[in-house]
Amino acid sequence: MGWFSKLLDKLRGDRPPPDALAEPVVEESPFQALIEAEADAQPAAEPESPEEVDAFQFGPQRMPRSTVGLFYPGGGIFLIRHPEDNRAGLICQFGSGHEGLRPLAGDWNGDGLHGIGLYEPDSGGFVLRNNMGGGGSDHQFQFGSAGEGWLPLIGDWDGDGIYGVGLYNPANSAFYLTNSFEGGDAQIAFLFGPPNEGWVPMAGDWDGDGVHSTGLYNPARGLFLLRNRLCDGWDVDEEFSFGPTGEGMQPVTGDWEGSGRTSVGVYDPEEGEFHLRLTADGGSAKVFSFGPKGIPAWPFSVIWV
């Protein structure tokens, strides 16, 4: 049994995989039957209060909320959590199944919704798709140094509603950002944070001004450093500890409450648990399990309806 079949078996229990998976087509997602089966098997929980607002409803004082997902590089599988409960709301396949691939999710075309993407460290290649359906890539380009251990990040660096990409060099703690999907040199470059100490880069709209800036996360200490500026410096706007600690912890960022400000979270791969800091200025946390355990995965967040 292959890796992909094992993942499907974990997601569906003892039920055999649907025949539709054998002949995937672009027009209709090859995972549609699986998604419908999951919906029948695990109906969405009733809201706790009749006044609760749909997580993805546009209202005068509410922005769309982020939900989390997991990317399984061995099969190129994006598994996205339903925004209302813990079942798989969307499953899609993208990429070649290379173990080194890293997931990306952002608004690549300014339509207000996120598409998916991949970064291939060995080649320095970015491959982006404007949606989460079938089909090929909408943007494909190389950016930054290949094979140097640089880490990818994404964000709206200029506030135009369209995300760009970036890279972080752990060796000197340098950030290289671009708004272009054509490759070339970085449009923004700066140093921030201590080099070679295990920090992981992040990005988000920490202050709600519509422009994303960068941050750093130290898994061993559970420490977050956030800045509201894209420039050289050591000063931080927010410094706090959150979530479980350990070398294997992975950061995830998103607007969990629809406030217009990005907050942080931590994914514990050993336990298969997400720990989300619900608001950007602290407050309560949400902890839940998602996805099959025992299969290496990278966390990400996405705005999806």
Side-chain angles (χ1 to χ4, degrees), residues 164-229:
V165 302
L167 290 167
Y168 169 74
N169 183 359
N172 61 359
S173 204
F175 286 83
Y176 303 92
L177 313 179
T178 182
N179 293 303
S180 171
F181 296 148
E182 303 296 331
D185 296 333
Q187 297 174 337
I188 305 170
F190 57 90
L191 300 174
F192 168 56
N196 287 320
E197 293 190 12
W199 294 88
V200 181
M202 307 178 304
D205 185 359
W206 315 123
D207 57 3
D209 68 351
V211 179
H212 287 192
S213 49
T214 56
L216 290 169
Y217 168 66
N218 187 307
R221 300 163 58 189
L223 182 63
F224 289 84
L225 306 177
L226 310 182
R227 297 185 84 216
N228 293 323
R229 298 169 302 286

Side-chain angles (χ1 to χ4, degrees), residues 253-275:
T253 64
D255 184 358
W256 316 126
E257 292 290 277
S259 66
R261 295 176 62 188
T262 306
S263 190
V264 303
V266 175
Y267 174 64
D268 181 345
E270 183 173 343
E271 298 297 328
E273 288 183 342
F274 282 89
H275 300 250

Side-chain angles (χ1 to χ4, degrees), residues 104-108 111 113-117 129-132 302-303:
L104 308 170
D107 187 352
W108 314 126
D111 67 353
L113 300 176
H114 286 186
I116 54 178
R129 181 194 288 172
N130 288 336
N131 57 63
M132 298 184 192
V302 64
I303 294 176

